[in-house]
Amino acid sequence: PGFHGFLQSEHEVALPCIRKLVAASSFTKPKVLTATSTLKFIPEELAVFCRDFRLLRFYFHENGLAPQAFRVANAIAQAREAAAWLGDAGKGHDGWSCPAEAPSEGEEEEEEEGSAATLLFESLHDWEKELKRLGAEGWRVSAINERFDMAPSLPRYLWVPSWLLDHDLKRTFAHFEEHRVPRLCWHHPGGGDLLRAASFHPASEPGSEDVRCLEALLLGGRGPCVLADTSELPTLADIQLAHLRLRALCLPGLGTPPDPTLCSPTPQTLEPSDRDLNCLLASLVQLLGDPHARSLPGFQSLVQREWVAAGHPFPLRLGLLQRDTPREEAPVFLLFLDCTWQLLRQFPVAFGFTEAYLLALHDSSFAPYSSTFLFSCQRQRGQGTPVSGGCRRGSAAGGLPPVWVWGLRYSRQQRARFRNPRGGPPPEATHPPNPARLLDSWPELGPGQVLVLAKGSLAPQAFPWRSSRPSPLPACRIPSLESPGAPRPSPSAPGLLLPCALGPSLRLWGRCYLRGLPEAQHGRFAPSLAGLAEELQLLQERLSSWQAQGPLLPKPTSTPLAPSQ
């Protein structure tokens, strides 16, 4: 009774969010605790290193829990290891269904603008509604994967060319990694289409009919097709290594030895195609070119479509699987949130949400109260079965709501800070320049031509199933935004964002990464009401010390001041 959300205090942490427990004493070195640890000293302090960059320090006072410090420390260590909540999800899974705060009459409109306006892309209606908003003529919603028998990691519904029948579409799945065929993910108002797909299967040998269906899917009578080469982007091991080094820089170690994984990249057993960096690229392209994606419901719908429904393996990449799974941790989604924060900092009035919202989404990715980050694809989410198994079948996503039901964790006042008061509504009927104009230097290009974008240049490319060489056209260099004299946003493109990626233009997301450093927090920001009270007390103490020193008098000068001065 009277329940109004949970995990609202900065001193509360979900067990899966704990990365490391350290027991400390003034008489010995700190020790990292595990479920099988044997402490040979009575801990005076327990440090909780969180995956969301928080560092919580709990002291055992003499008149409090000091006599039970040993038992408390070991109990928390054992509970944390037992909370491999994806592996043990079947045990008491229904107990996670915490009731949302019932909206009052004044909150109904707010809920409609937020979570209720977010498309989850679990129904045919959501896919048709978004396709209509995009105005993508020549495309339709296909239910060919409704039973997940064509591609288990793809969503139920796909955007495919209208003239391509499902019978012909079935021929294309076997020729791509994990059967993840090309499909539309965004339509540019100027006429361009953004497609995403896995790489071609190396053992694929399509016959003549399959070739016809493949080219109809990729080209379909449209203009030149540009393939973006993602081999130049950081690998999953690079992303994980960078994240570990960032954590080592931003979180003090309390004298504990460094993590050996900081010295070498994390081993990768298999990098799923089209489920990691393609999520990042497709989302950033839409953030830069679609004002609707920069609104609060539009951004949530973007994450839901390009990450959740598209099959990004959140449990593996966020390191939430703690048992019987290979280490494939690489926080690609957190990298996307960092990129979004960089854009928000450079274009504050272009977004309908705030840094507080991004921080809440960052922290919620480690909290086991929503179905959004608990599963790796729409098929598992519908069955209520995570990657490692164990969830009981019966209710979709195990009865857990999506993360967009913010009332579970945040109060109405906190949710009000998610919206940017300076961010205006998305502009109407604004058409950014068509990216196809980059090809104006090649007027001889037409429908059916294939180009590859690699190392900053566009060059002709042939499909792997064609033995003929590409047309002998010279490569076209694409100017970088960071090069001298590079084009910048013009008044004719009000909906397009062209950010600067030079070193001086990038910043460290201090409010997120420096939360574990108390000295970095004082006087700079306060992430909560308790933080505001702490800063206020600090300022009052400084003011009192200055007042005790007496008034600050100006230094004497050689020339006396006139009375009028």
Side-chain angles (χ1 to χ4, degrees):
F3 175 82
H4 294 290
F6 62 100
L7 295 179
Q8 294 193 25
S9 169
E10 67 271 21
H11 298 136
E12 299 177 2
V13 57
L15 289 173
C17 186
I18 298 177
R19 177 177 290 273
K20 182 171 62 175
L21 286 170
V22 178
S25 173
S26 56
F27 302 102
T28 184
K29 294 182 179 179
K31 181 174 182 178
V32 178
L33 293 179
T34 64
T36 58
S37 295
T38 55
L39 284 176
K40 298 181 179 180
F41 60 90
I42 302 298
E44 300 175 0
E45 176 189 358
L46 185 64
V48 181
F49 290 80
C50 304
R51 297 178 183 272
D52 57 10
F53 284 85
R54 285 186 297 164
L55 173 58
L56 308 180
R57 296 184 175 185
F58 298 96
Y59 296 91
F60 297 99
H61 298 285
E62 295 182 1
N63 299 328
L65 287 174
Q68 306 179 37
F70 181 83
R71 290 180 56 192
V72 170
N74 280 279
I76 296 177
Q78 294 173 6
R80 175 227 176 200
E81 206 149 309
W85 48 279
L86 292 184
D88 298 337
K91 302 176 181 178
H93 190 279
D94 297 337
W96 296 348
S97 299
C98 297
E101 179 182 350
S104 60
E105 295 181 0
E107 291 180 290
E108 290 181 357
E109 181 178 353
E110 176 189 354
E111 292 294 333
E112 175 64 26
E113 295 178 358
S115 60
T118 300
L119 300 180
L120 300 181
F121 293 97
E122 295 177 352
S123 65
L124 179 64
H125 174 266
D126 286 355
W127 290 92
E128 291 178 340
K129 181 178 180 180
E130 180 67 8
L131 188 64
K132 181 179 179 180
R133 185 194 70 83
L134 292 174
E137 298 181 359
W139 296 88
R140 65 179 178 89
V141 180
S142 172
I144 191 174
N145 198 43
E146 194 168 18
R147 297 181 179 179
F148 304 106
D149 52 348
M150 301 303 301
S153 63
L154 282 181
R156 287 185 176 90
Y157 306 103
L158 308 174
W159 288 332
V160 300
S162 302
W163 52 85
L164 187 63
L165 301 179
D166 285 351
H167 174 75
D168 295 331
L169 182 60
K170 287 182 179 180
R171 293 178 171 271
T172 64
F173 283 88
H175 303 293
F176 296 89
E177 294 284 354
E178 296 191 33
H179 294 186
R180 297 178 65 88
V181 295
R183 69 270 181 206
L184 178 72
C185 60
W186 182 57
H187 174 76
H188 191 278
D193 296 318
L194 178 65
L195 281 70
R196 58 180 293 183
S199 58
F200 299 110
H201 200 287
S204 172
E205 295 183 359
S208 58
E209 277 299 308
D210 290 359
V211 168
R212 180 186 64 82
C213 298
L214 285 168
E215 295 188 354
L217 178 60
L218 283 170
L219 301 174
R222 297 183 297 272
C225 175
V226 178
L227 303 177
D229 184 7
T230 59
S231 61
E232 304 172 10
L233 298 176
T235 64
L236 295 181
D238 295 333
I239 295 175
Q240 172 66 355
L241 181 60
H243 190 261
L244 291 174
R245 288 175 172 171
L246 175 65
R247 183 178 299 278
L249 288 173
C250 296
L251 282 178
L254 288 181
T256 57
D259 192 333
T261 56
L262 293 176
C263 305
S264 60
T266 304
Q268 303 293 328
T269 58
L270 176 66
E271 178 180 346
S273 301
D274 184 44
R275 302 180 68 178
D276 292 294
L277 296 180
N278 277 7
C279 300
L280 176 67
L281 291 179
S283 301
L284 289 178
V285 167
Q286 295 176 61
L287 275 183
L288 296 176
D290 190 352
H292 176 74
R294 301 192 289 267
S295 65
L296 182 58
F299 182 81
Q300 294 182 165
S301 299
L302 173 69
V303 172
Q304 194 70 28
R305 184 179 71 252
E306 300 299 342
W307 294 83
V308 181
H312 178 66
F314 286 106
L316 288 175
R317 296 296 176 253
L318 295 175
L320 301 178
L321 293 175
Q322 301 179 11
R323 293 183 179 180
D324 303 327
T325 55
R327 290 202 60 183
E328 298 183 33
E329 185 175 350
V332 185
F333 181 70
L334 304 186
L335 174 60
F336 167 66
L337 295 183
D338 190 292
C339 294
T340 305
W341 178 82
Q342 300 287 347
L343 293 174
L344 177 63
R345 194 190 62 82
Q346 293 191 27
F347 306 96
V349 298
F351 290 83
F353 50 86
T354 63
E355 180 186 20
Y357 169 80
L358 291 177
L359 190 62
L361 185 55
H362 176 280
D363 295 350
S364 298
S365 60
F366 300 106
Y369 70 92
S370 72
S371 62
T372 304
F373 307 107
L374 180 60
F375 304 94
S376 291
C377 64
Q378 202 173 74
R379 176 173 177 265
Q380 295 169 357
R381 193 170 287 104
Q383 295 177 344
T385 306
V387 168
S388 59
C391 264
R392 290 180 293 184
R393 188 185 180 100
S395 59
L400 293 175
V403 69
W404 319 120
V405 187
W406 294 109
L408 279 176
R409 186 175 180 184
Y410 296 93
S411 65
R412 182 182 180 185
Q413 291 75 17
Q414 290 173 316
R415 298 197 300 271
R417 292 196 290 269
F418 290 174
R419 301 184 180 277
N420 184 7
R422 296 187 296 170
E428 298 291 339
T430 55
H431 299 288
N434 192 336
R437 291 183 180 176
L438 293 172
L439 308 178
D440 288 346
S441 58
W442 285 344
E444 59 271 27
L445 287 178
Q449 295 287 342
V450 181
L451 307 171
V452 62
L453 176 61
K455 298 181 179 180
S457 298
L458 281 172
Q461 176 75 17
F463 285 130
W465 53 78
R466 287 190 175 274
S467 58
S468 60
R469 297 181 179 180
S471 56
L473 296 176
C476 174
R477 185 72 181 175
I478 304 299
S480 171
L481 292 177
E482 284 74 43
S483 59
R488 303 307 304 168
S490 62
S492 60
L496 179 65
L497 302 183
L498 295 180
C500 182
L502 289 174
S505 299
L506 302 181
R507 295 291 186 270
L508 179 70
W509 190 4
R511 187 173 175 182
C512 180
Y513 304 137
L514 299 180
R515 286 180 289 177
L517 298 176
E519 61 272 18
Q521 296 179 7
H522 293 315
R524 294 185 60 185
F525 52 80
S528 63
L529 293 177
L532 285 174
E534 185 179 1
E535 288 197 11
L536 181 59
Q537 182 180 0
L538 177 65
L539 293 175
Q540 289 175 341
E541 292 175 356
R542 289 181 179 177
L543 182 61
S544 300
S545 63
W546 290 338
Q547 291 176 345
Q549 297 174 5
L552 298 178
L553 300 177
K555 295 181 180 180
T557 58
S558 56
T559 304
L561 297 176
S564 61
Q565 294 176 310

